[in-house]
Amino acid sequence: MSENLDKSNVNEAGKSKSNDSEQGLEDAVEGADEALQKAIKSDSSSPQRVQRPHSSPPHFVTVEELLETARGVTNMALAHEIVVNGDFQIKPVELPENSLKKRVKEIVHKAFWDCLSAQLSEDPPAYDHAIKLVGEIKETLLSFLLPGHTRLRNQITEVLDLDLIKQEAENGALDISKLAEFIIGMMGTLCAPARDEEVKKLKDIKEIVPLFREIFSVLDLMKVDMANFAISSIRPHLMQQSVEYERKKFQEILERQPNSLDFVTQWLEEASEDLMTQKYKHALPVGGAAAGSGDVPRLSPVAVQNYAYLKLLKWDHLQRPFPETVLMDQSRFHELQLQLEQLTVLGAVLLITFSMAAPGISSQADFAEKLKMIVKILLTDMHLPSFHLKDVLTTIGEKVCLEVSSCLSLCGSSPFTTDKETVLKGQIQAVASPDDPIRRIMESRILTFLETYLASGHQKPLPTVPGGLSPVQRELEEVAIKFARLVNYNKMVFCPYYDAILSKILVRS
């Protein structure tokens, strides 16, 4: 079967839940956009530019339209990332060492702090800059508060009263150290436990300028913490809005770029053609196919969609453009593809081993698990450029023979003969070829299991694992659940587009 598939600053966490709507989603996206734009672009970009199929006439756009489209794509990708990736977090921006942007930033900051130091060194000291900094700190601290933090809000407003501070400065009665002490104490109250150490270190800084510099540095980290807290808090509410939001944003992109479904159309057409061809008929179960006229099966849109998603697990990411509607999840589909390739080799090695060993050896759970872990560890770096599968399989063959011989000896069974060892090592080495029959069987059965799981509507319990895959059942089920989640969410967002395209394709069929 598989061989037939195409090789081919959210700073305010206290907003009430009643404001968790599509606008709330857009606000969250806009707030996090600047911090994450670089990461999203690198994650979603295709490895190689490929010419777009000419199914739509040329459409000339202005620079403003391109920029507006880019913003829409970024916001949609960011909203998608927040919802789909449960581990999504905003990271502090770290500029590259020796970069122009970092040097300019350092020069500007040094000039600012030197100016503050010069003002505080005057006689009498000038506090203009210092008071402005206190005002910024006050606003930042207030932004960390939830609606119920009335007492803390009153404390900050009272102690950091800028009018009062200005009067104290004019009368020579301002104690800047006392203000700093209050600020550090309030930061300790509001910061996440992970920032306790940074806040504690502030108490050891005695000079005002270095102290203010470090206060702002820690406050920047606290802003990131608060943004991540806000994202985790609103994620359940974003889930309720994300499908409509992503569909709306994609529709806006489609109106500006009418050819934004070209690759999707090509993808679905190929899936439909594959399923309608007798060559592919027995390679992958056609869930949902109904009897049609003559001997030609009538395909359902669900069957074509499920098959199309399976094709993404055999995609040539270097040579073929990814369909537009799944582009934001390309890295996730690619990761699943790599996991399945490793799982295929692992399963093939275990199937060969247990088939050639004594009948009862595979039933020993401890030995089977130990052997699986050994092979799994040796295949860990399988998809690195420096990894040579054939050489590693040679090592695996040697290790497997040692483990099997040891197990047979402990069980009192007949030892492994030299001829059997030679055959076993040879069959394991042969798995290096994608055309190896055993490897192709494992690949076909894995994809059959995934297709069955999609067709079942992701009901529990999971479908029965095909024969020969029992040793890797746990790993396979984990991949199936991840795959089904991606597919299910993508269907919810883009199903109207798929249905419209397939209605035309299947009529032609």
Side-chain angles (χ1 to χ4, degrees), residues 18-195:
S18 62
N19 289 329
D20 294 321
S21 60
E22 184 175 305
Q23 183 61 44
L25 173 58
E26 190 143 9
D27 290 343
V29 168
E30 295 288 353
D33 180 30
E34 184 175 354
L36 287 161
Q37 190 166 355
K38 183 177 180 181
I40 293 297
K41 284 181 178 179
S42 63
D43 184 58
S44 302
S45 59
S46 180
Q48 182 171 326
R49 293 186 180 273
V50 184
Q51 186 174 359
R52 181 177 296 277
H54 300 292
S55 62
S56 298
H59 179 70
F60 300 100
V61 297
T62 65
V63 173
E64 289 76 10
E65 289 177 314
L66 284 174
L67 292 173
E68 185 64 29
T69 301
R71 282 192 290 269
V73 171
T74 300
N75 289 345
M76 185 173 67
L78 187 53
H80 181 84
E81 191 73 15
I82 291 172
V83 173
V84 174
N85 184 1
D87 298 323
F88 174 86
Q89 282 193 328
I90 295 175
K91 306 288 186 182
V93 177
E94 295 183 6
L95 299 176
E97 200 66 36
N98 299 322
S99 66
L100 177 61
K101 193 171 183 179
K102 186 172 184 178
R103 292 201 301 270
V104 170
K105 180 180 177 181
E106 289 173 347
I107 291 171
V108 172
H109 282 209
K110 185 178 184 303
F112 175 83
W113 295 113
D114 287 348
C115 180
L116 177 61
S117 179
Q119 283 195 349
L120 295 178
S121 299
E122 294 177 7
D123 188 15
Y127 291 106
D128 295 347
H129 275 37
I131 292 174
K132 289 180 181 178
L133 293 180
V134 171
E136 292 183 23
I137 293 172
K138 174 184 177 180
E139 294 303 318
T140 301
L141 292 175
L142 289 173
S143 72
F144 294 154
L145 300 180
L146 297 177
H149 291 159
T150 306
R151 184 178 59 84
L152 294 177
R153 189 180 305 276
N154 291 338
Q155 285 183 351
I156 295 172
T157 304
E158 181 181 340
V159 177
L160 302 183
D161 185 332
L162 297 186
D163 292 332
L164 180 59
I165 292 173
K166 289 176 182 178
Q167 291 180 19
E168 290 177 344
E170 292 170 358
N171 296 322
L174 179 61
D175 189 345
I176 199 76
S177 299
K178 186 176 179 179
L179 289 177
E181 183 180 345
F182 169 81
I183 291 169
I184 295 171
M186 189 57 67
M187 290 171 65
T189 301
L190 298 175
C191 73
R195 304 299 172 200

Side-chain angles (χ1 to χ4, degrees), residues 158-363:
E158 181 181 340
V159 177
L160 302 183
D161 185 332
L162 297 186
D163 292 332
L164 180 59
I165 292 173
K166 289 176 182 178
Q167 291 180 19
E168 290 177 344
E170 292 170 358
N171 296 322
L174 179 61
D175 189 345
I176 199 76
S177 299
K178 186 176 179 179
L179 289 177
E181 183 180 345
F182 169 81
I183 291 169
I184 295 171
M186 189 57 67
M187 290 171 65
T189 301
L190 298 175
C191 73
R195 304 299 172 200
D196 286 344
E197 194 61 33
E198 283 98 333
V199 174
K200 185 179 178 181
K201 290 178 181 178
L202 295 176
K203 299 178 181 179
D204 298 328
I205 304 175
K206 304 305 179 184
E207 296 183 20
I208 294 301
V209 174
L211 176 57
F212 268 90
R213 185 191 295 123
E214 290 306 311
I215 284 175
F216 274 93
S217 178
V218 176
L219 284 175
D220 285 341
L221 296 176
M222 290 175 63
K223 288 178 182 178
V224 174
D225 294 340
M226 182 56 67
N228 287 324
F229 169 75
I231 289 171
S232 63
S233 299
I234 65 177
R235 181 176 281 116
H237 311 294
L238 294 183
M239 283 292 293
Q240 301 169 11
Q241 306 294 332
S242 59
V243 172
E244 290 82 1
Y245 178 79
E246 286 192 39
R247 190 182 300 156
K248 172 189 171 185
K249 286 296 180 183
F250 186 80
Q251 181 61 37
E252 292 173 358
I253 294 170
L254 189 60
E255 290 169 0
R256 297 188 187 96
Q257 303 290 330
N259 58 353
S260 295
L261 284 172
D262 286 359
F263 292 136
V264 171
T265 302
Q266 187 182 59
W267 169 52
L268 294 176
E269 283 176 343
E270 289 178 3
S272 176
E273 291 169 2
D274 290 352
L275 285 175
M276 289 296 293
T277 303
Q278 184 65 30
K279 178 181 177 181
Y280 292 93
K281 185 175 180 181
H282 301 292
L284 192 67
V286 184
S293 58
D295 295 326
V296 180
R298 186 180 300 277
L299 301 177
S300 72
V302 173
V304 178
Q305 285 183 45
N306 288 346
Y307 189 86
Y309 285 116
L310 287 174
K311 287 172 68 69
L312 299 179
L313 299 177
K314 296 291 295 177
W315 203 264
D316 187 344
H317 293 266
L318 293 178
Q319 298 298 325
R320 296 198 63 192
F322 219 56
E324 296 91 342
T325 54
V326 286
L327 189 59
M328 290 186 295
D329 286 319
Q330 181 172 9
S331 62
R332 294 183 179 88
F333 279 107
H334 192 206
E335 182 182 352
L336 290 176
Q337 180 177 344
L338 298 181
Q339 290 177 13
L340 288 176
E341 289 176 4
Q342 186 187 78
L343 207 54
T344 299
V345 174
L346 173 61
V349 170
L350 295 178
L351 179 61
I352 292 168
T353 302
F354 294 142
S355 297
M356 291 197 63
I361 199 170
S362 62
S363 62

